[in-house]
Amino acid sequence: MVIDPAARRTDGESVRIAKDVLCAGAQTKICLPDGPDEVERALARRGARRPVVVGDDRALLRVVELLHRRRELTDATLSVVPVGGPATVALARSLGVPTDPVAAARTVLDGAARPRDLLVDDSGGVVLGGLRIPSGPRTDPPVRPGGHEPHDPHDPHDPHGAGAAPPSGTVPSAGSGTGSDTGPGGANGHRDRRDPGASPPGDGSQPWWTPAARTARTALTLLSLPVIGLTSGSRRRVHPPPPHRLRIEADGVLLTDLDRPVTRVSVSTAGPDDGGLAEVVVHPHAAGGPVRALARAVTVSGQDFRYRADALVRGPVRSRTWTVLTEAWTLILPHRT
């Protein structure tokens, strides 16, 4: 059982539950690697033991890629106990693995071995589920209610950031953090127009300009600011991806060329009923529906592009070819009902 270090950090309770179920139901050797090198050593020393990955999609992909590189993937029967947030175990869920730690651990003990196809690229990378080009949509930061963009306090070019000068005719207030402020006057020698003996509202014990009072006022101000991403009216503007000029071939048949830009391309293992082929879907930028094809090898070339292969973003590359390997790996899944 190879327990990914990220799983131990993010959800130790699920890791403990999976470990207890597996140790109670089978003879188990536990490996706690600190990095990819230790994962590779553990796989090399596994003998006849079945590898069980406890972790997220990246941990599963790492093990599959290592076994493929060692030419041992076809002889290994893999199991996985997904540990992580919903987005980080989406691949395992799409493959049919339960995401509950108890159900996943019981599947490791009592499930059925199912052979699966694999997409392998010409650089040695593997794809278990699918890939898409581009790697993802471009998004702007959340927009506050009223359409005001959030400010970056560390950006000296932001007119409202920490490095920006105050607007003309204004005086930095006490406790604003600009310069040294040791008395009732500001760092630039100006004194606040309020009575220095006045007290903050609701507290007549201290003058408003004392350090404690300034700290309290600053804290209240920060607490009153809207939190980006948590305010009910915040929203994220999503821009459609720009068109890409790509040449796409499926088993040597040209689907689109550089003179016909595309907005999106996806390649996935088509399933057991399609005879070990990949499904290619090309969405043209111009009017018209997507172009679909089934192929054993898919080549994409053109201007530099990034692509998302399962949970990983790879590239930029100028050309990449993916080939389907039929029943190249085996995964333990629940029995069909």
Side-chain angles (χ1 to χ4, degrees):
M1 180 167 59
V2 180
I3 303 177
D4 187 64
R8 304 199 301 267
R9 291 193 303 267
T10 58
D11 193 351
E13 180 64 14
S14 292
V15 171
R16 183 191 64 78
I17 292 172
K19 185 170 61 173
D20 290 348
V21 173
L22 291 174
C23 290
Q27 185 177 1
T28 305
K29 182 175 182 179
I30 299 173
C31 176
L32 302 172
D34 289 327
D37 291 341
E38 293 187 17
V39 173
E40 187 167 11
R41 283 196 293 270
L43 293 174
R45 298 170 183 170
R46 72 185 186 281
R49 300 183 186 91
R50 243 188 325 131
V52 180
V53 181
V54 180
D56 59 13
D57 294 341
R58 290 173 178 264
L60 174 61
L61 285 166
R62 187 180 303 118
V63 169
V64 172
E65 199 162 274
L66 283 171
L67 290 172
H68 171 70
R69 193 172 67 220
R70 294 174 58 87
R71 303 181 184 275
E72 299 174 358
L73 183 58
T74 55
D75 299 326
T77 300
L78 285 174
S79 301
V80 58
V81 178
V83 176
T88 66
V89 297
L91 170 62
R93 184 170 57 249
S94 70
L95 294 173
V97 180
T99 55
D100 175 75
V102 175
R106 287 177 178 167
T107 298
V108 173
L109 299 172
D110 305 323
R114 306 272 175 77
R116 301 191 64 93
D117 295 346
L118 186 71
L119 278 171
V120 179
D121 66 43
D122 45 9
S123 71
V126 300
V127 183
L128 308 185
L131 64 96
R132 71 173 185 263
I133 307 168
S135 58
R138 181 173 63 88
T139 60
D140 279 349
V143 180
R144 290 178 180 170
H148 298 291
E149 301 287 347
H151 306 300
D152 183 356
H154 304 290
D155 185 0
H157 302 290
D158 190 327
H160 298 277
S168 176
T170 61
V171 178
S173 61
S176 64
T178 57
S180 60
D181 207 5
T182 57
N188 59 357
H190 291 276
R191 186 180 298 273
D192 195 288
R193 295 182 182 275
R194 290 176 290 187
D195 181 2
S199 299
D203 184 4
S205 60
Q206 296 184 21
W208 68 267
W209 48 264
T210 60
R214 290 202 309 272
T215 301
R217 289 204 326 278
T218 301
L220 288 173
T221 301
L222 291 174
L223 289 173
S224 66
L225 292 174
V227 179
I228 297 174
L230 296 181
T231 56
S232 59
S234 64
R235 62 190 184 279
R236 186 177 292 273
R237 289 195 305 220
V238 179
H239 296 275
H244 287 255
R245 295 187 179 275
L246 300 171
R247 179 183 175 90
I248 302 170
E249 299 171 81
D251 284 344
V253 177
L254 184 64
L255 301 183
T256 189
D257 212 338
L258 302 177
D259 58 345
R260 289 171 286 175
V262 299
T263 57
R264 190 167 76 255
V265 181
S266 64
V267 183
S268 61
T269 50
D273 298 332
D274 291 307
L277 300 176
E279 182 182 31
V280 189
V281 183
V282 180
H283 295 264
H285 180 61
V291 178
R292 301 175 184 271
L294 294 175
R296 192 168 299 278
V298 181
T299 299
V300 180
S301 58
Q303 55 187 213
D304 290 350
F305 63 91
R306 297 181 185 273
Y307 60 94
R308 177 176 290 275
D310 294 326
L312 302 175
V313 175
R314 301 183 185 270
V317 294
R318 293 264 178 110
S319 179
R320 183 68 84 225
T321 296
W322 291 272
T323 304
V324 180
L325 300 184
T326 306
E327 297 186 354
W329 68 296
T330 303
L331 181 66
I332 298 295
L333 295 173
H335 288 277
R336 292 189 178 99
T337 57

